[in-house]
Amino acid sequence: MSEPAQTAQTARSSWTPMIGLFLAQVLMSFNVAALPISLGGMVEDFSVPPTVASSTIVVYGLAVAALVMTGAKLGQRIGWALIFRAVLVVFAASSLAMILSPTVAWVIVGQLLAGAAAAIIVPSLVALIAENYRGAQQATAVGSLGSARAFSGMSAFLIGGTLGTFVGWRPIFLITLALAIAVFVLSFSLRSDKGDSSVRIDLVASVLIGAAVVCLTLGFNNLNGWGPLRAQDGAPFSVLGLSPAPVLVVLGLVLGQLFFVWTRRRMRLGKVPLVDLSVLGSGRERSAVYAMFIIVSMEAAVNFTVPIYIQVVQGRTPLDTSLAMLPFNLTVFVTATLIIRFYPRFAPRTIALFSFALTTVALVWLSAVVTNNWETLPTILGLIVFGIGQGSLVTLVFNVLVTAAPKHLAGDVGSIRGTTQNLASAVGTAVMGAVLVMVLGAGVGRAVVEHPELPDELVAQVDLDQVNFVSNDELDEVLSATTATEEQVEAAVALNEEQRLRTLKTGFLILAGISAVAALPASRLPKYVPGEIPDPEDS
């Protein structure tokens, strides 16, 4: 290697820029991981149901997924480093909205701002890595994003759980504010190409994909409240008697297909698309996207179910939630960091199939052993095994996508990653919540019939059409307003405990089935070892 080449390589080898990018991923992931921990505090502060508080998670994911492809094009037009700094200011403003929020509406707006900012940060990370690193450093940098995501989940549950228990949920977002400021300062060490003012944003495609994501997210998120098929009383309107939820889901799928049709047409005509679909040109890359969607959906479902169950149902503290989730989050972090070491020896397909087998076995195991006490050894073991599979998969499929694309399409890969992950997170949270409530409602309705100690005249005084996860104390309070005797209250509480636990086990079994199905896309992942993001001239 010539001396000038060595000098250039040395200039590129500084890890200072990567520290900022690592912390940017930590910022987004910490924010997402902190939301489930904060649900209990939001429910108490704002006197809203858990499903309303959880809409903050959905809104964030919706904003990122709807805007990330447009954000990628904005980055190409304005310049990645410049727009990266601008949206960090927006993220800091969202943290302030969370800290100062007087109502749940402020919290939702805060997460909407955070999601809009993340829609540009997500593709920026991939593009800036491609512009700042080469060779083995680049592979390490890409892998570190998965580690950062896992590290954030672990630290958010530990720090957030402690703050949420002893101080309150609001100070958790002082950390995201501090992170946003730190990343903003470090961003000045990044090298980035100047923006290309000739880049045009395809507004038609932007509207199509944004509307598709909004329809899909709203549809899935309201399956329970509006009705999975027929419109319920809570539905804002009906379509020939049908609930608007499934109608929105179908509409979202149609709009998504129109987006692909429109984008392919523009590419055939030689026009610049909103996202270059050549990054999904082979079955391997498409399989990686499908696998990523399933992985993130499962993770979101678990991160929603466990905190809701521990804090809302069992009435325990955020710190208890943190300790219960620590084995899972710690394992995901360690595995996401170490899995890169196995790339030279095992193909992505092999790692993915093995990892999905682990997650499937772990979820079946959890459905069999989980009890109202999360600190049992069998439960901890199940969460650890699930975390090993989850941590391996998150890093692996992202690496497959990135290494398959030329450098000039790194932003497009980032936007597809962002759309997939955040739509999957929103859908996973929403669908799991709807499924659990529906299963619980069916179980409670059936159990009431089977318990003669709860007479029809007592059941008639309780609205079983609005069954939700409630603690024993809340149920006791509701029944105190009825004619229930002390024995009947005890029977109702016992029934509630039994059905909640049965519902939780059913939820884990459903996730195990989804994990098993994921073997299909995983079997089509490539056999090559992930390497560097190719340069355009090599593509």
Side-chain angles (χ1 to χ4, degrees):
M1 181 182 290
S2 66
E3 187 174 341
Q6 288 177 335
T7 303
Q9 181 65 31
T10 302
R12 288 194 297 268
S13 66
S14 172
W15 285 112
T16 301
M18 191 58 220
I19 294 173
L21 298 178
F22 181 90
L23 290 179
Q25 180 67 63
V26 170
L27 167 64
M28 294 185 296
S29 301
F30 189 96
N31 178 78
V32 172
L35 289 174
I37 303 169
S38 306
L39 291 180
M42 292 180 193
V43 168
E44 184 177 350
D45 271 12
F46 303 128
S47 300
V48 294
T51 47
V52 173
S54 68
S55 64
T56 55
I57 303 173
V58 176
V59 163
Y60 174 89
L62 186 153
V64 181
L67 300 174
V68 69
M69 289 187 181
T70 305
K73 276 293 175 284
L74 283 172
Q76 293 171 11
R77 181 180 173 86
I78 297 173
W80 288 112
L82 181 60
I83 199 167
F84 182 66
R85 294 185 194 111
V87 295
L88 285 169
V89 176
V90 177
F91 215 116
S94 78
S95 298
L96 285 174
M98 298 294 291
I99 296 166
L100 304 174
S101 54
T103 66
V104 73
W106 277 64
V107 172
I108 293 173
V109 169
Q111 286 309 303
L112 191 63
L113 287 175
I120 294 178
I121 294 176
V122 167
S124 296
L125 295 180
V126 184
L128 288 169
I129 284 176
E131 292 181 1
N132 283 266
Y133 296 98
R134 293 287 183 277
Q137 266 196 314
Q138 196 178 73
T140 302
V142 169
S144 73
L145 295 184
S147 301
R149 193 168 177 270
F151 170 77
S152 306
M154 179 185 66
S155 59
F157 272 92
L158 278 175
I159 300 171
T162 303
L163 288 174
T165 299
F166 298 108
V167 182
W169 65 271
R170 296 174 192 272
I172 297 173
F173 294 93
L174 284 171
I175 297 174
T176 59
L177 178 61
L179 281 171
I181 295 171
V183 176
F184 181 82
V185 173
L186 288 167
S187 70
F188 290 93
S189 66
L190 291 165
R191 287 189 304 104
S192 175
D193 296 336
K194 292 183 178 180
D196 183 357
S197 59
S198 66
V199 171
R200 294 290 179 265
I201 297 174
D202 183 355
L203 294 179
V204 173
S206 181
V207 170
L208 283 173
I209 191 63
V213 168
V214 170
C215 288
L216 286 170
T217 306
L218 288 178
F220 280 116
N221 194 45
N222 290 287
L223 282 172
N224 181 60
W226 295 348
L229 188 59
R230 296 181 59 185
Q232 296 180 357
D233 293 339
F237 61 91
S238 64
V239 181
L240 300 176
L242 291 176
S243 165
V247 174
L248 284 173
V249 170
V250 173
L251 180 60
L253 292 173
V254 171
L255 289 170
Q257 288 302 309
L258 288 175
F259 164 77
F260 284 109
V261 170
W262 175 266
T263 301
R264 291 190 186 100
R265 177 177 176 272
R266 282 184 67 88
M267 293 179 69
R268 283 196 305 269
L269 295 174
K271 298 180 179 179
V272 178
L274 184 66
V275 62
D276 194 323
L277 296 181
S278 65
V279 298
L280 300 176
S282 74
R284 293 192 298 264
E285 282 72 48
R286 290 192 293 273
S287 295
V289 172
Y290 299 147
M292 181 182 293
F293 189 92
I294 294 172
I295 297 158
V296 177
S297 294
M298 290 194 303
E299 182 181 22
V302 170
N303 278 332
F304 167 74
T305 303
V306 176
I308 280 290
Y309 196 86
I310 294 176
Q311 290 187 60
V312 177
V313 172
Q314 297 180 322
R316 300 174 71 178
T317 66
L319 182 58
D320 292 325
T321 305
S322 303
L323 294 175
M325 291 297 291
L326 181 60
F328 169 67
N329 287 302
L330 180 61
T331 306
V332 170
F333 168 60
V334 173
T335 307
T337 304
L338 298 180
I339 191 62
I340 302 171
R341 299 173 182 263
F342 291 88
Y343 288 174
R345 285 191 276 174
F346 300 100
R349 183 182 304 176
T350 303
I351 296 174
L353 287 173
F354 179 75
S355 299
F356 273 121
L358 283 182
T359 56
T360 303
V361 169
L363 289 164
V364 172
W365 172 261
L366 284 170
S367 72
V369 303
V370 71
T371 66
N372 283 319
N373 179 12
W374 287 88
E375 287 80 14
T376 63
L377 182 59
T379 303
I380 293 173
L381 179 62
L383 288 172
I384 288 174
V385 174
F386 183 71
I388 293 173
Q390 188 77 21
S392 302
L393 290 163
V394 167
T395 303
L396 174 73
V397 294
F398 181 36
N399 233 309
V400 169
L401 279 173
V402 171
T403 56
K407 189 181 78 168
H408 71 282
L409 295 179
D412 294 80
V413 172
S415 69
I416 288 174
R417 174 211 179 201
T419 302
T420 302
Q421 286 192 336
N422 288 281
L423 181 59
S425 180
V427 170
T429 301
V431 171
M432 195 61 179
V435 168
L436 290 180
V437 170
M438 283 190 288
V439 172
L440 178 64
V444 169
R446 183 178 63 253
V448 164
V449 175
E450 298 171 353
H451 283 68
E453 64 270 31
L454 298 175
D456 292 342
E457 56 269 21
L458 173 60
V459 174
Q461 299 175 57
V462 181
D463 185 6
L464 291 182
D465 291 330
Q466 299 297 323
V467 172
N468 209 324
F469 283 90
V470 296
S471 66
N472 291 343
D473 291 340
E474 289 175 311
L475 180 60
D476 200 335
E477 184 179 342
V478 169
L479 292 175
S480 66
T482 68
T483 58
T485 64
E486 186 175 339
E487 292 77 14
Q488 289 170 338
V489 170
E490 291 178 359
V493 168
L495 181 152
N496 191 38
E497 288 181 346
E498 176 187 343
Q499 292 305 317
R500 287 182 319 209
L501 189 56
R502 183 174 297 177
T503 298
L504 186 64
K505 290 174 177 284
T506 302
F508 282 130
L509 274 179
I510 292 171
L511 288 176
I514 295 172
S515 178
V517 170
L520 294 175
S523 66
R524 299 189 64 192
L525 289 176
K527 294 181 179 179
Y528 61 75
V529 176
E532 181 185 3
I533 304 173
D535 284 323
E537 56 268 23
D538 300 328
S539 60

